[in-house]
DNA sequence: CGTAATCTTGAGTCCAATCAACCAATGTGG
DNA sequence: CCACATTGGTTGATTGGACTCAAGATTACG
């Protein structure tokens, strides 16, 4: 289970067996968390470093009038808030959407890694730049695209991110979230999301039922959603850049 | 001029005189760049590390049908792409909006800083987390707020960020950007932005003319825009957190 | 098996984009 | 110095898309 993290970081840097060992150790102890629970809340002091091992989580903020805005999805292998200890307050809430398996990394191991495992640090830096890219793309999504494109684009992103940690099988993957969640992530009403999904279904681009998402025609979905996978930075980068 | 960078980083960490000296050296040579020019383009290989010394820039993406989405504003003292050398492609374009003064940091100094000036590195890490917070807030802005709130919220953010580098005088600061720019940053039409600005003006909240923005009643503007300054992480943090 | 969520569909309303002028300020060349 | 072009801002009329409200169907779950 814990190998999602390793698989993810290996995209960005060549990890030694010592690197992998410490990552395995750091994520050895995990605990189950039920769906729809806040793991750490906006305003809390940042403390822990989490790794999501299975399930789907999100980061959200509450704006005026109680509206919930999802600002990111957290997928298996995602490492949350590696720099948590150095900033004082969470600006958002980290929560589960489905039942999850999470691991809390002990502070001691975190600082040990930061000091003695430069390749991991490098991979983490790349990973956080990829996160930034994703956020830019989300902004472009909300600011510049219409409803079906927003949904399509988001689904493409999730597809590729799940693919990168080997969780896609025959174009399908588990996506146990509601249309309300998709609405809050794309700045729309669930009613409106529903209609767009039905449109995508009727055009034989996706299937979405019982928490499973199927992408029927990735190329076409990407095209109509203005999706360019480059921004995810998920193509292997090992050896393609010079060390600093 | 170059002290905007130092002033900014000092928010996050206590810099020694050696730290400041190397920052001053790194930003010693600057060059003027005229308004509305792309500094580095989406798709380009990342190479240089920029510091904006004066003027206003932005990061933008072009989505389908040529629409421009501004995903961030770059203010004096902002350090662009410190990790540029380790990722291969720019996911967005960095451009000037007004005439700017920019400094390109030599690679050699960058790596020297990363290796020998831990407090600067720490400040940079904090700074990039603050950037992430801003992006979350922008997502909430686009996803959850109406037009006057979006504009008001953005203006509050710019006010506080300019304040942090001492560029606000008597509630006023230079903001040489167009309503079209504001539109592209808030996912609206310039026509719609115009009406919202007029609304804010008529409620005696702001003045905005000839590239100068005046905030007439910050508290009230913050209240009606659902703005909480905490997310900017601009309150001095020196000594408030334990080192890792 | 029953209750609560979630999804689906329809109808009506409203807000924001679009289209289209027009104005003011600035700059340019003759 | 003035005619003209350009850019940014302002205003109104129109239209379409997204939200709201509401009710029924389906699914999930204790």
């Amino acid at each position: 289970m814990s190998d999602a993290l390793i698989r993810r970081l290996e995209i960005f840097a060549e990890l030694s067996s010592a690197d992998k060992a410490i990552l395995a150790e750091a994520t050895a102890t995990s605990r189950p968390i039920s769906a729809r629970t806040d793991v750490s809340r906006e305003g809390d002091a940042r403390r822990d470093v989490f790794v999501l091992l299975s399930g789907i989580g999100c980061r959200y903020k509450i704006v005026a009038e109680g509206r919930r805005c999802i600002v990111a999805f957290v997928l298996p292998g995602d490492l949350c808030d590696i720099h948590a200890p150095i900033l004082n307050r969470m600006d958002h809430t980290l929560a589960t959407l489905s039942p999850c398996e999470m691991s809390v990394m002990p502070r001691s191991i975190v600082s040990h890694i930061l000091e003695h495992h430069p390749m991991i640090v490098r991979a983490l830096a790349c990973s956080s730049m990829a996160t930034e890219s994703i956020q830019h793309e989300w902004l472009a999504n909300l600011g510049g695209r219409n409803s079906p494109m927003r949904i399509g684009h988001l689904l493409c992103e999730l597809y590729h991110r799940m693919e990168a940690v080997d969780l896609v099988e025959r174009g399908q993957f588990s996506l146990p979230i509601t249309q309300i969640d998709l609405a809050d992530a794309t700045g729309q009403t669930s009613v409106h999301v529903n209609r767009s999904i039905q449109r995508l279904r009727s055009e034989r681009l996706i299937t979405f039922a019982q928490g499973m998402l199927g992408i029927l025609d990735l190329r076409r979905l990407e095209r109509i959603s203005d999706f360019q996978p480059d921004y995810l930075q998920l193509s292997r980068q090992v050896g393609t850049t010079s060390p600093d």
Side-chain angles (χ1 to χ4, degrees), chain A residues 24-237:
Chain A
E25 185 191 338
T27 57
T29 61
S30 71
R31 59 192 169 96
I33 303 180
S34 46
R36 317 255 152 210
T37 54
D38 292 347
V39 174
S40 64
R41 286 212 179 73
E42 182 170 350
D44 282 4
R46 299 181 108 111
R47 263 196 3 265
D48 295 320
V49 178
F50 300 99
V51 179
L52 182 65
L53 300 182
S54 70
I56 292 201
C58 73
R59 302 168 184 278
Y60 71 81
K61 304 183 69 127
I62 302 292
V63 300
E65 295 120 43
R67 193 180 175 79
R68 177 185 70 158
C69 292
I70 292 180
V71 297
F73 284 117
V74 182
L75 305 189
D78 281 350
L79 196 150
C80 304
D81 309 316
I82 180 70
H83 290 113
I86 65 173
L87 259 206
N88 31 14
R89 314 229 137 263
M90 291 277 291
D91 67 301
H92 61 266
T93 299
L94 177 65
T96 61
L97 292 175
S98 72
C100 287
E101 194 85 26
M102 272 190 147
S103 164
V104 180
M105 287 176 72
R107 290 275 297 268
S108 56
I109 296 194
V110 172
S111 23
H112 181 266
I113 287 178
L114 290 177
E115 276 169 50
H116 298 98
H117 292 265
M119 281 322 260
I120 297 182
V121 173
R122 183 196 174 84
L124 289 172
C126 288
S127 168
S128 82
M129 290 187 73
T131 303
E132 207 180 315
S133 285
I134 290 175
Q135 263 153 33
H136 287 159
E137 197 61 44
W138 278 44
L139 280 169
N141 216 21
L142 289 190
R145 291 194 260 263
N146 61 25
S147 176
M149 287 172 88
R150 279 188 214 184
I151 297 292
H153 197 279
L154 176 57
L155 297 182
C156 285
E157 178 192 309
L158 292 174
Y159 176 92
H160 283 278
R161 288 173 62 190
M162 293 297 268
E163 241 259 301
V165 285
D166 246 352
L167 256 23
V168 175
E169 264 180 77
R170 276 168 292 111
Q172 291 214 131
F173 59 97
S174 162
L175 190 67
I177 66 178
T178 70
Q179 297 187 358
I180 298 169
D181 298 328
L182 290 174
D184 290 347
T186 53
Q188 298 168 304
T189 321
S190 68
V191 174
H192 200 201
V193 166
N194 183 275
R195 293 192 222 268
S196 295
I197 286 181
Q198 286 180 56
R199 175 106 149 265
L200 294 177
R201 275 203 269 251
S202 76
E203 308 207 3
R204 311 230 168 281
L205 288 164
I206 66 166
T207 60
F208 184 39
Q210 285 104 247
M212 288 293 288
L213 177 74
I215 306 284
L216 302 180
D217 187 340
L218 183 61
R219 294 288 156 259
R220 195 152 57 91
L221 185 59
E222 290 182 346
R223 203 172 52 247
I224 72 136
S225 308
D226 186 32
F227 182 91
Q228 262 101 25
D230 339 358
Y231 77 91
L232 291 170
Q233 318 268 182
L234 289 180
S235 52
R236 277 201 146 238
Q237 316 214 335

